[in-house]
């Protein structure tokens, strides 16, 4: 028992001993500090160490996935809020007479959409994933899906403006990923998004 107490005292004293301050420089840990998205207050944030080895190809793949999920989340948040506000397409969703207005908003919509409609929905998403949402021509940057087809004035911007707009998209995508998660959690908890409106 006395040995255990002595060991714990020594261990606690070692905790206050000066640390070895020799810094080891590692180029792999600082490889992405200046990349787009490394912005205040966090800077480059990789808590799981996914790109700690400095592999540029892995970083580009993860950035591609981040941008893609951010774009999907921005559409999801907009769609969620539009349907929550009661705005629906006119007409029927199927031949039996079920209207778009009959489909509830949020996660309940998945179980209310007829089976044929779900098949069409997933087929359309698959088509977009395979043929549209990809970089065919080797774009200007990771996530550039213009493929020499749609420009919307992008080429008229100077390099600083392009970088700023890409950073804005990246940050809004990050916010939208958190936003759609929060909307789904609120729905599951039964908390109304609109004050005074019950679920």
């Amino acid at each position: 028992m006395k040995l255990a107490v002595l060991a714990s005292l020594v261990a606690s004293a070692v905790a206050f001993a000066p640390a070895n301050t020799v810094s080891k420089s590692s180029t792999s840990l600082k490889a992405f500090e200046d990349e787009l998205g490394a912005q205040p207050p966090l800077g480059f944030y990789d808590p799981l160490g996914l790109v700690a080895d400095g592999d540029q190809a892995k970083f580009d793949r993860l950035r591609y996935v981040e941008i893609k999920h951010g774009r999907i989340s921005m559409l999801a948040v907009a769609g969620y809020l539009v349907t929550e506000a009661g705005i629906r397409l006119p007409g029927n969703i199927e031949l039996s007479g079920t209207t778009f207005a009959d489909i509830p908003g949020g996660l309940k919509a998945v179980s209310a959409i007829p089976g044929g409609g779900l098949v069409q929905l997933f087929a359309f998403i698959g088509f977009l994933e395979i043929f549209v949402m990809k970089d065919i021509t080797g774009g200007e940057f990771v996530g550039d899906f213009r493929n020499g087809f749609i420009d919307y004035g992008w080429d008229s911007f100077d390099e600083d403006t392009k970088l700023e707009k890409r950073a804005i998209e990246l940050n809004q995508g990050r916010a939208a990923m958190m936003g759609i998660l929060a909307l789904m959690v609120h729905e599951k908890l039964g908390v109304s998004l609109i004050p005074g409106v019950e679920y």
Side-chain angles (χ1 to χ4, degrees):
M1 180 70 172
K2 291 179 184 178
L3 187 60
V5 171
L6 181 64
S8 66
L9 286 173
V10 170
S12 63
V14 169
F16 294 101
N20 186 1
T21 58
V22 176
S23 64
K24 296 178 182 177
S25 63
S26 172
T27 56
S28 64
L29 294 178
K30 301 288 184 187
F32 306 112
E33 289 293 322
D34 296 326
E35 286 287 337
L36 178 72
Q39 299 166 339
L42 295 178
F44 179 69
Y45 186 64
D46 183 19
L48 299 178
L50 297 175
V51 290
D53 58 357
D55 184 2
Q56 185 67 42
K58 187 190 297 183
F59 177 83
D60 287 345
R61 171 70 181 141
L62 291 172
R63 177 52 51 92
Y64 170 82
V65 170
E66 180 183 19
I67 290 171
K68 192 172 195 177
H69 282 91
R71 289 171 179 169
I72 292 167
S73 296
M74 286 187 268
L75 289 171
V77 168
Y80 197 105
L81 295 176
V82 165
T83 57
E84 194 66 29
I87 300 169
R88 302 288 194 278
L89 292 172
N92 296 336
I93 194 168
E94 66 172 345
L95 296 175
S96 69
T98 305
T99 65
F100 285 103
D102 295 337
I103 306 297
L107 296 172
K108 293 177 255 176
V110 176
S111 60
I113 296 174
L118 285 177
V119 168
Q120 290 176 39
L121 182 64
F122 287 115
F124 180 65
I125 291 170
F127 171 79
L128 290 176
E129 184 73 24
I130 293 169
F131 298 109
V132 178
M133 298 294 290
K134 60 192 237 175
D135 184 5
I136 299 169
T137 61
E140 220 178 289
F141 51 87
V142 175
D144 181 7
F145 296 150
R146 292 176 297 150
N147 297 318
F149 176 63
I150 298 175
D151 186 63
Y152 294 121
W154 180 259
D155 291 331
S156 66
F157 297 134
D158 60 67
E159 291 305 313
D160 289 339
T161 304
K162 287 181 181 181
L163 195 63
E164 179 185 355
K165 290 191 177 292
R166 288 176 53 212
I168 290 169
E169 179 192 24
L170 189 61
N171 283 330
Q172 289 179 348
R174 290 170 177 171
M177 286 186 265
M178 295 296 106
I180 192 64
L181 177 65
L183 289 171
M184 292 187 297
V185 168
H186 273 77
E187 180 181 338
K188 283 300 184 184
L189 291 175
V191 178
S192 176
L193 299 175
I194 304 169
V197 176
E198 296 295 323
Y199 267 111

